[in-house]
Amino acid sequence: MEENKILIISAHPDDAELAMGGTISKFIEKGYKVKNLIVSIPNKPSIRKEEAQLSAKLLKMETEFLFDDYPKGVEHYSSYELITALEPKILEFNPSIIFTHWDEDSHQDHRILSLAVQSCLRLKKCSLYFFEQINQQNVFISGKFSPNTYIDITSYIDVKVESIKVHNSQIGPENSRYLNDVINLNKWRGHQMDTEYAESFKLVFQNNLLI
């Protein structure tokens, strides 16, 4: 295990940028190797794959797609298929930290993937964080995420916004508040921590001894 390797396991091509684009940029600037493992592309696979690759280049992170039979969502794979595909990728990259979706997210793809990732960690012990997604128009879930870790991204909000804009196919009339919701969420989390912009996470497991 290398202490400066971070693996993001995301359901869709734009999830990592939305949830932690600023954190990604900050980690990379500090010398970390960051890889985004994208599990599914539910629509427009050729366009969305190109967008993901361009965004990764902007953020200077690695990106990889877990499967090659798109279009498919995470829900179209069995738990067995997900776990058996993820486990060798996790072991090969050998991260010290994994970031993935909250297991109570309103999106079924996010929940399914989160549980699969947790199952994989029986073979690979490393720190695990859930990242926060915007839950647009979902009044049942929005606001229920309870973070215990914050990262100041004030100096990285611009590159985060640019990385999200690269996913142009996802910013249309049906997602008219897509970008503003993310910025407002980061402003709110920043306000909670007496800074301008922040991204929030839930530490699930820390892979070290307390004392």
Side-chain angles (χ1 to χ4, degrees):
M1 178 178 66
E2 294 185 27
E3 295 300 322
N4 64 341
K5 293 176 74 173
I6 293 171
L7 181 63
I8 304 162
I9 304 178
S10 55
H12 308 117
D14 57 347
D15 285 333
E17 291 89 330
L18 288 165
M20 53 180 295
T23 296
I24 291 168
S25 186
K26 190 169 188 174
F27 270 125
I28 289 171
E29 188 176 87
K30 291 183 178 297
Y32 285 78
K33 183 177 183 180
V34 179
K35 182 174 185 177
N36 183 23
L37 182 59
I38 300 168
V39 174
S40 77
I41 307 179
N43 54 52
K44 306 175 184 176
S46 59
I47 294 172
R48 298 195 68 183
K49 183 175 283 190
E50 182 180 3
E51 289 172 344
Q53 291 166 337
L54 289 171
S55 180
K57 186 176 181 180
L58 176 66
L59 291 173
K60 300 178 182 178
M61 69 174 172
E62 293 183 29
T63 192
E64 182 180 349
F65 298 90
L66 185 61
F67 298 109
D68 58 7
D69 57 349
Y70 308 127
K72 272 189 179 180
V74 177
E75 63 183 334
H76 296 116
Y77 300 100
S78 69
S79 293
Y80 175 79
E81 288 175 308
L82 290 169
I83 293 166
T84 54
L86 285 167
E87 281 180 343
K89 296 294 185 182
I90 293 170
L91 293 172
E92 178 186 7
F93 189 69
N94 196 27
S96 58
I97 303 172
I98 289 178
F99 288 88
T100 195
H101 298 272
W102 178 39
D103 58 8
E104 296 182 46
D105 195 288
S106 65
H107 196 303
Q108 69 277 8
D109 276 3
H110 298 175
R111 292 194 308 273
I112 292 166
L113 180 56
S114 181
L115 293 173
V117 171
Q118 291 174 67
S119 293
C120 291
L121 296 188
R122 71 191 190 282
L123 296 180
K124 166 63 183 172
K125 192 177 293 182
C126 62
S127 297
L128 175 66
Y129 291 85
F130 293 153
F131 50 65
E132 182 176 25
Q133 298 270 172
I134 51 170
N135 286 283
Q136 295 185 63
Q137 303 175 4
N138 192 320
V139 296
F140 298 103
I141 298 297
S142 182
K144 290 187 178 180
F145 184 81
S146 298
N148 54 25
T149 304
Y150 293 76
I151 295 180
D152 184 351
I153 64 160
T154 303
S155 298
Y156 304 90
I157 188 66
D158 290 340
V159 70
K160 171 175 181 164
V161 169
E162 290 307 309
S163 73
I164 293 171
K165 286 180 177 179
V166 171
H167 295 274
N168 188 57
S169 67
Q170 301 305 294
I171 305 176
E174 69 277 11
N175 292 316
S176 59
R177 296 181 295 175
Y178 191 76
L179 187 55
N180 285 336
D181 285 351
V182 176
I183 295 170
N184 288 333
L185 175 62
N186 293 156
K187 279 184 179 179
W188 178 47
R189 292 306 189 191
H191 177 73
Q192 291 176 326
M193 300 305 292
D194 300 318
T195 190
E196 192 171 354
Y197 294 98
E199 290 169 339
S200 68
F201 306 88
K202 184 173 183 178
L203 173 62
V204 182
F205 175 74
Q206 180 119 21
N207 188 31
N208 59 31
L209 296 171
L210 182 61
I211 193 169

